[in-house]
Short mmCIF file of all heavy atoms in Angstrom, two decimals:
data_model
loop_
_atom_site.label_atom_id
_atom_site.label_comp_id
_atom_site.label_asym_id
_atom_site.label_seq_id
_atom_site.Cartn_x
_atom_site.Cartn_y
_atom_site.Cartn_z
N LYS A 1 7.40 151.12 -85.83
CA LYS A 1 6.32 151.51 -86.74
C LYS A 1 6.69 151.45 -88.21
O LYS A 1 5.85 151.76 -89.04
CB LYS A 1 5.84 152.91 -86.33
CG LYS A 1 5.27 152.99 -84.95
CD LYS A 1 4.93 154.45 -84.62
CE LYS A 1 4.38 154.51 -83.19
NZ LYS A 1 4.12 155.90 -82.78
N SER A 2 7.91 151.08 -88.51
CA SER A 2 8.40 151.16 -89.89
C SER A 2 8.25 149.79 -90.60
O SER A 2 8.39 148.76 -90.02
CB SER A 2 9.89 151.52 -89.88
OG SER A 2 10.05 152.82 -89.34
N ARG A 3 7.91 149.91 -91.90
CA ARG A 3 7.82 148.69 -92.72
C ARG A 3 9.15 148.38 -93.35
O ARG A 3 9.34 147.24 -93.79
CB ARG A 3 6.73 148.89 -93.77
CG ARG A 3 5.32 148.96 -93.21
CD ARG A 3 4.34 149.01 -94.31
NE ARG A 3 4.72 150.07 -95.27
CZ ARG A 3 4.18 150.16 -96.47
NH1 ARG A 3 3.27 149.32 -96.86
NH2 ARG A 3 4.61 151.10 -97.29
N ALA A 4 9.99 149.36 -93.51
CA ALA A 4 11.29 149.14 -94.15
C ALA A 4 12.28 150.07 -93.50
O ALA A 4 11.97 151.14 -92.99
CB ALA A 4 11.22 149.44 -95.64
N GLY A 5 13.54 149.59 -93.47
CA GLY A 5 14.61 150.41 -92.95
C GLY A 5 15.65 150.66 -94.02
O GLY A 5 16.05 149.72 -94.73
N ILE A 6 15.98 151.91 -94.19
CA ILE A 6 16.99 152.25 -95.19
C ILE A 6 18.26 152.65 -94.44
O ILE A 6 18.22 153.46 -93.54
CB ILE A 6 16.52 153.44 -96.07
CG1 ILE A 6 15.24 153.05 -96.79
CG2 ILE A 6 17.61 153.83 -97.05
CD1 ILE A 6 14.46 154.24 -97.28
N VAL A 7 19.36 151.99 -94.80
CA VAL A 7 20.66 152.29 -94.19
C VAL A 7 21.50 152.97 -95.26
O VAL A 7 21.85 152.31 -96.24
CB VAL A 7 21.33 151.03 -93.65
CG1 VAL A 7 22.67 151.41 -93.03
CG2 VAL A 7 20.43 150.33 -92.63
N LEU A 8 21.78 154.25 -95.06
CA LEU A 8 22.68 154.92 -95.96
C LEU A 8 24.11 154.57 -95.53
O LEU A 8 24.56 154.96 -94.44
CB LEU A 8 22.46 156.42 -95.89
CG LEU A 8 23.14 157.25 -96.97
CD1 LEU A 8 22.71 156.78 -98.36
CD2 LEU A 8 22.80 158.75 -96.82
N VAL A 9 24.79 153.75 -96.34
CA VAL A 9 26.08 153.25 -96.03
C VAL A 9 27.14 154.20 -96.58
O VAL A 9 27.27 154.35 -97.75
CB VAL A 9 26.27 151.81 -96.69
CG1 VAL A 9 27.65 151.29 -96.36
CG2 VAL A 9 25.18 150.89 -96.21
N THR A 10 27.81 154.86 -95.63
CA THR A 10 28.82 155.82 -95.97
C THR A 10 30.07 155.58 -95.13
O THR A 10 30.01 154.84 -94.14
CB THR A 10 28.32 157.28 -95.63
OG1 THR A 10 28.11 157.35 -94.16
CG2 THR A 10 27.06 157.60 -96.35
N PRO A 11 31.20 156.17 -95.47
CA PRO A 11 32.39 156.01 -94.59
C PRO A 11 32.12 156.48 -93.16
O PRO A 11 32.62 155.89 -92.21
CB PRO A 11 33.46 156.92 -95.31
CG PRO A 11 33.01 156.91 -96.77
CD PRO A 11 31.51 156.88 -96.71
N GLU A 12 31.28 157.48 -93.01
CA GLU A 12 30.92 157.99 -91.68
C GLU A 12 30.16 156.89 -90.90
O GLU A 12 30.32 156.77 -89.67
CB GLU A 12 30.07 159.27 -91.75
CG GLU A 12 30.86 160.45 -92.27
CD GLU A 12 31.00 160.52 -93.81
OE1 GLU A 12 30.37 159.71 -94.53
OE2 GLU A 12 31.76 161.35 -94.32
N LEU A 13 29.32 156.14 -91.60
CA LEU A 13 28.59 155.06 -90.91
C LEU A 13 29.60 154.03 -90.36
O LEU A 13 29.42 153.54 -89.25
CB LEU A 13 27.60 154.36 -91.86
CG LEU A 13 26.90 153.13 -91.26
CD1 LEU A 13 25.95 153.51 -90.16
CD2 LEU A 13 26.18 152.37 -92.32
N PHE A 14 30.61 153.69 -91.14
CA PHE A 14 31.62 152.73 -90.64
C PHE A 14 32.24 153.21 -89.41
O PHE A 14 32.44 152.43 -88.44
CB PHE A 14 32.68 152.50 -91.74
CG PHE A 14 32.23 151.96 -93.05
CD1 PHE A 14 32.95 152.10 -94.21
CD2 PHE A 14 31.02 151.19 -93.15
CE1 PHE A 14 32.53 151.57 -95.40
CE2 PHE A 14 30.59 150.68 -94.32
CZ PHE A 14 31.33 150.86 -95.50
N THR A 15 32.61 154.48 -89.34
CA THR A 15 33.22 155.03 -88.14
C THR A 15 32.25 154.95 -86.96
O THR A 15 32.64 154.54 -85.84
CB THR A 15 33.59 156.52 -88.35
OG1 THR A 15 34.52 156.59 -89.44
CG2 THR A 15 34.24 157.15 -87.13
N SER A 16 31.00 155.29 -87.20
CA SER A 16 29.98 155.21 -86.15
C SER A 16 29.74 153.82 -85.66
O SER A 16 29.62 153.56 -84.48
CB SER A 16 28.69 155.83 -86.68
OG SER A 16 27.75 155.92 -85.67
N LEU A 17 29.72 152.83 -86.59
CA LEU A 17 29.49 151.43 -86.19
C LEU A 17 30.68 150.93 -85.37
O LEU A 17 30.51 150.20 -84.38
CB LEU A 17 29.26 150.57 -87.40
CG LEU A 17 27.97 150.75 -88.15
CD1 LEU A 17 27.89 149.88 -89.38
CD2 LEU A 17 26.77 150.48 -87.22
N ASN A 18 31.90 151.30 -85.74
CA ASN A 18 33.07 150.86 -85.00
C ASN A 18 33.10 151.44 -83.61
O ASN A 18 33.66 150.85 -82.68
CB ASN A 18 34.33 151.25 -85.76
CG ASN A 18 34.57 150.35 -86.97
OD1 ASN A 18 34.15 149.17 -86.98
ND2 ASN A 18 35.22 150.86 -88.01
N ALA A 19 32.46 152.57 -83.41
CA ALA A 19 32.39 153.19 -82.06
C ALA A 19 31.32 152.50 -81.19
O ALA A 19 31.28 152.77 -79.99
CB ALA A 19 32.11 154.68 -82.19
N GLN A 20 30.51 151.65 -81.80
CA GLN A 20 29.47 150.89 -81.09
C GLN A 20 28.52 151.82 -80.34
O GLN A 20 28.11 151.55 -79.19
CB GLN A 20 30.05 149.84 -80.18
CG GLN A 20 30.79 148.76 -80.96
CD GLN A 20 31.32 147.66 -80.10
OE1 GLN A 20 31.33 147.75 -78.90
NE2 GLN A 20 31.81 146.63 -80.74
N GLY A 21 28.10 152.88 -80.99
CA GLY A 21 27.16 153.84 -80.37
C GLY A 21 25.75 153.53 -80.85
O GLY A 21 25.36 152.40 -81.07
N ILE A 22 24.99 154.58 -80.96
CA ILE A 22 23.55 154.47 -81.34
C ILE A 22 23.38 153.89 -82.72
O ILE A 22 22.50 153.04 -82.91
CB ILE A 22 22.86 155.84 -81.24
CG1 ILE A 22 22.76 156.27 -79.75
CG2 ILE A 22 21.49 155.81 -81.85
CD1 ILE A 22 22.24 157.63 -79.54
N ALA A 23 24.22 154.20 -83.66
CA ALA A 23 24.12 153.64 -85.01
C ALA A 23 24.26 152.13 -84.97
O ALA A 23 23.56 151.40 -85.68
CB ALA A 23 25.17 154.24 -85.93
N ASP A 24 25.11 151.63 -84.11
CA ASP A 24 25.32 150.16 -83.97
C ASP A 24 24.06 149.50 -83.46
O ASP A 24 23.62 148.49 -83.92
CB ASP A 24 26.51 149.91 -83.03
CG ASP A 24 26.85 148.46 -82.94
OD1 ASP A 24 27.16 147.84 -84.01
OD2 ASP A 24 26.84 147.90 -81.83
N LYS A 25 23.43 150.13 -82.45
CA LYS A 25 22.18 149.58 -81.91
C LYS A 25 21.07 149.64 -82.92
O LYS A 25 20.26 148.70 -83.02
CB LYS A 25 21.81 150.34 -80.64
CG LYS A 25 22.77 150.12 -79.47
CD LYS A 25 22.48 151.03 -78.32
CE LYS A 25 23.44 150.91 -77.17
NZ LYS A 25 24.83 151.12 -77.50
N GLU A 26 20.95 150.74 -83.62
CA GLU A 26 19.92 150.89 -84.63
C GLU A 26 20.07 149.86 -85.75
O GLU A 26 19.09 149.25 -86.18
CB GLU A 26 19.98 152.30 -85.19
CG GLU A 26 18.84 152.70 -86.06
CD GLU A 26 18.88 154.18 -86.47
OE1 GLU A 26 19.89 154.86 -86.24
OE2 GLU A 26 17.90 154.61 -87.05
N LEU A 27 21.32 149.66 -86.20
CA LEU A 27 21.54 148.65 -87.22
C LEU A 27 21.20 147.25 -86.75
O LEU A 27 20.58 146.48 -87.47
CB LEU A 27 23.00 148.68 -87.68
CG LEU A 27 23.39 147.67 -88.77
CD1 LEU A 27 22.51 147.84 -90.00
CD2 LEU A 27 24.85 147.75 -89.11
N SER A 28 21.54 146.95 -85.49
CA SER A 28 21.17 145.64 -84.94
C SER A 28 19.68 145.39 -84.96
O SER A 28 19.18 144.33 -85.35
CB SER A 28 21.69 145.51 -83.51
OG SER A 28 23.08 145.46 -83.49
N ALA A 29 18.90 146.42 -84.60
CA ALA A 29 17.46 146.31 -84.61
C ALA A 29 16.93 146.16 -86.07
O ALA A 29 16.06 145.36 -86.32
CB ALA A 29 16.84 147.56 -83.96
N LEU A 30 17.52 146.90 -87.00
CA LEU A 30 17.10 146.82 -88.36
C LEU A 30 17.39 145.43 -88.99
O LEU A 30 16.56 144.90 -89.72
CB LEU A 30 17.76 147.87 -89.26
CG LEU A 30 17.20 149.26 -89.16
CD1 LEU A 30 18.09 150.23 -89.88
CD2 LEU A 30 15.81 149.31 -89.76
N LEU A 31 18.52 144.88 -88.64
CA LEU A 31 18.90 143.58 -89.19
C LEU A 31 17.93 142.46 -88.76
O LEU A 31 17.85 141.42 -89.38
CB LEU A 31 20.34 143.24 -88.85
CG LEU A 31 21.38 144.05 -89.62
CD1 LEU A 31 22.76 143.80 -89.06
CD2 LEU A 31 21.35 143.71 -91.11
N ALA A 32 17.21 142.70 -87.68
CA ALA A 32 16.27 141.70 -87.16
C ALA A 32 14.94 141.78 -87.95
O ALA A 32 14.08 140.94 -87.71
CB ALA A 32 16.03 141.92 -85.69
N THR A 33 14.76 142.74 -88.82
CA THR A 33 13.51 142.91 -89.55
C THR A 33 13.61 142.22 -90.91
O THR A 33 14.70 141.80 -91.34
CB THR A 33 13.18 144.41 -89.77
OG1 THR A 33 14.13 144.99 -90.62
CG2 THR A 33 13.13 145.14 -88.43
N ASP A 34 12.52 142.16 -91.58
CA ASP A 34 12.43 141.52 -92.88
C ASP A 34 12.91 142.40 -94.04
O ASP A 34 13.35 141.85 -95.03
CB ASP A 34 10.99 141.08 -93.22
CG ASP A 34 10.53 139.95 -92.33
OD1 ASP A 34 11.39 139.14 -91.87
OD2 ASP A 34 9.35 139.84 -92.07
N LEU A 35 12.79 143.67 -93.91
CA LEU A 35 13.16 144.56 -95.02
C LEU A 35 14.10 145.66 -94.64
O LEU A 35 13.75 146.63 -93.99
CB LEU A 35 11.90 145.19 -95.63
CG LEU A 35 12.10 145.99 -96.93
CD1 LEU A 35 12.77 145.16 -98.00
CD2 LEU A 35 10.79 146.47 -97.45
N VAL A 36 15.38 145.44 -94.99
CA VAL A 36 16.40 146.45 -94.79
C VAL A 36 17.04 146.69 -96.15
O VAL A 36 17.40 145.77 -96.84
CB VAL A 36 17.51 145.95 -93.82
CG1 VAL A 36 18.62 147.02 -93.67
CG2 VAL A 36 16.92 145.63 -92.47
N ILE A 37 17.11 147.94 -96.50
CA ILE A 37 17.64 148.33 -97.82
C ILE A 37 18.90 149.11 -97.60
O ILE A 37 18.86 150.28 -97.24
CB ILE A 37 16.64 149.15 -98.63
CG1 ILE A 37 15.30 148.41 -98.77
CG2 ILE A 37 17.23 149.51 -99.99
CD1 ILE A 37 14.17 149.25 -99.31
N PRO A 38 20.04 148.48 -97.79
CA PRO A 38 21.31 149.29 -97.73
C PRO A 38 21.55 150.07 -99.01
O PRO A 38 21.27 149.58 -100.11
CB PRO A 38 22.40 148.22 -97.52
CG PRO A 38 21.81 146.96 -98.09
CD PRO A 38 20.30 147.10 -98.00
N VAL A 39 21.96 151.32 -98.84
CA VAL A 39 22.25 152.19 -99.98
C VAL A 39 23.70 152.64 -99.84
O VAL A 39 24.02 153.44 -98.91
CB VAL A 39 21.31 153.40 -100.09
CG1 VAL A 39 21.72 154.29 -101.23
CG2 VAL A 39 19.84 152.96 -100.22
N ALA A 40 24.58 152.11 -100.66
CA ALA A 40 26.00 152.50 -100.59
C ALA A 40 26.17 153.87 -101.25
O ALA A 40 25.76 154.10 -102.41
CB ALA A 40 26.87 151.43 -101.29
N HIS A 41 26.78 154.77 -100.51
CA HIS A 41 27.00 156.15 -100.99
C HIS A 41 28.40 156.61 -100.61
O HIS A 41 28.67 156.75 -99.40
CB HIS A 41 25.90 157.11 -100.42
CG HIS A 41 26.03 158.49 -100.93
ND1 HIS A 41 25.77 158.85 -102.23
CD2 HIS A 41 26.33 159.66 -100.29
CE1 HIS A 41 25.94 160.18 -102.39
NE2 HIS A 41 26.29 160.64 -101.18
N GLY A 42 29.28 156.73 -101.55
CA GLY A 42 30.63 157.12 -101.23
C GLY A 42 31.52 155.98 -100.75
O GLY A 42 32.59 156.17 -100.23
N THR A 43 30.99 154.77 -100.95
CA THR A 43 31.72 153.58 -100.55
C THR A 43 31.15 152.39 -101.35
O THR A 43 30.33 152.59 -102.23
CB THR A 43 31.64 153.30 -99.02
OG1 THR A 43 32.57 152.26 -98.66
CG2 THR A 43 30.27 152.92 -98.58
#
């Protein structure tokens, strides 16, 4: 239902992505959309 996806990019996100959990699946779905806005915070 979203028109845009915002990914808050933090060191914690890196850890979560490396664990290939829910954040990894969510990011994969977002990357398939037209509008993803990464926001780097603390990295």
